Amino acid sequence: MEKTENSKSNNSRRRLSIVAVLVLVVAVICGGGLWWHRTAVQEHNRAFASYRAAAKTYKVQESEYHRYLASDEVEAVSTVTDDQVSDAKTVHALAKGVQVVKPAPGRTTGAKTNLTGDASTSELKTAADTLNAQTSKLKSKLKALKGDVLAVTTSQAQKLLSDAIGNGDKILVDSDGKVPDGDQTRNNLTKALESAKDVLNDKQSVLKVFSDAKADLDAKVKAVNDAVSAKAQADQDAARQRDERARSAQAQAGSARAPGAASSGLYPQSRWSGSMSGNFQNQPGAGRQGSTGNGGGSTSPQVPAVNPAPTTPQYTQEQIDGAHHYLCIMQPDITTGC
């Protein structure tokens, strides 16, 4: 009887142990499932956040790249030809750099930028990695494109400076003797040319150095041209004034030779002309009455015409100088004191 009771007691304890183990197993499984689910959700959230950040960065970088590609700076430099730069290779490199065109609407770029939280964690991670890689490529392309633009711009500035130096050398030669005495513009141009040539031959020169040297050289060339123009204008005005004086002197000389010049005041009156009749009356026979053979009428004797002796005209110094200047212009070979 006791054996039967002990057997039942042992069976009962065995069943309780089994149930306890089963409950523990279920509890562990449920706990593990909850932990795994929570961990998976957290990982998914992190993946989605990383994806959104990568997509945003990619869009910003893509926009910056294409905005610069379509900028006025790139457009202007893209029109530069081989003969406008000192190194044609820079133009060719830029042409290759600007061939990248933004995909047309409806075409995919290989970068998924519109995924939602419904996407799997692995898909989000893959998309984020792709976006980060393409963002890095866009940064590299933008940097290379800016470098190509700078290379063309610098090469163009170097060519412009070279051309400016050639023009400056010509202006320096052509302006010799054509600027006012004591003018310093040609000396300033000489110094600017020497400085510009040093910049042009310096391999370390950059865009701003080329541009500044050309601006300074252009200013010095303009100063010389202005000085040449000023002297030419002054010479022209002086020549016009000489011509006017010469014409005035010619007109005065012609007026002096014209009939009736004495009455006009160019020839002074003779001292004896006013008393010519009185002097004549003092001559023998003056005032005698003669008888005509026909009778008794008396007539006055005929007074012979007397031409007054010419006297030397009296000219002013201004008239003399004008006539002399006219002769210097018209007959320089035989006129003295010109």
Side-chain angles (χ1 to χ4, degrees), residues 266-286:
L266 294 178
Y267 291 97
Q269 295 291 331
S270 174
R271 293 180 179 178
W272 56 268
S273 61
S275 58
M276 181 178 63
S277 60
N279 292 337
F280 180 78
Q281 291 176 358
N282 294 329
Q283 299 297 321

Side-chain angles (χ1 to χ4, degrees), residues 85 87 90 146-156:
V85 295
D87 185 3
T90 58
K146 289 183 176 181
D148 292 339
V149 170
L150 179 60
V152 172
T153 306
T154 302
S155 183
Q156 185 181 31

Side-chain angles (χ1 to χ4, degrees), residues 33-105:
L34 292 174
W35 175 84
W36 178 86
H37 177 71
R38 184 171 62 252
T39 302
V41 169
Q42 291 175 350
E43 185 179 3
H44 181 273
N45 291 339
R46 286 194 297 268
F48 185 62
S50 298
Y51 164 78
R52 292 182 61 183
K56 182 178 180 180
T57 303
Y58 172 80
K59 289 179 180 179
V60 171
Q61 189 63 47
E62 183 186 38
S63 176
E64 181 180 356
Y65 175 77
H66 289 289
R67 183 170 59 251
Y68 182 73
L69 188 64
S71 65
D72 294 338
E73 180 182 4
V74 175
E75 182 178 359
V77 176
S78 298
T79 61
V80 176
T81 56
D82 293 358
D83 58 340
Q84 294 177 324
V85 295
S86 60
D87 185 3
K89 293 180 180 178
T90 58
V91 176
H92 303 161
L94 176 64
K96 294 180 180 179
V98 298
Q99 288 177 352
V100 179
V101 181
K102 187 175 181 178

Side-chain angles (χ1 to χ4, degrees), residues 178-180 183 185 222-238:
K178 296 181 181 180
V179 298
D183 189 87
T185 54
K222 181 179 183 301
V224 171
N225 287 332
D226 291 344
V228 171
S229 299
K231 186 177 186 301
Q233 184 63 44
D235 293 344
Q236 183 179 358
D237 293 342

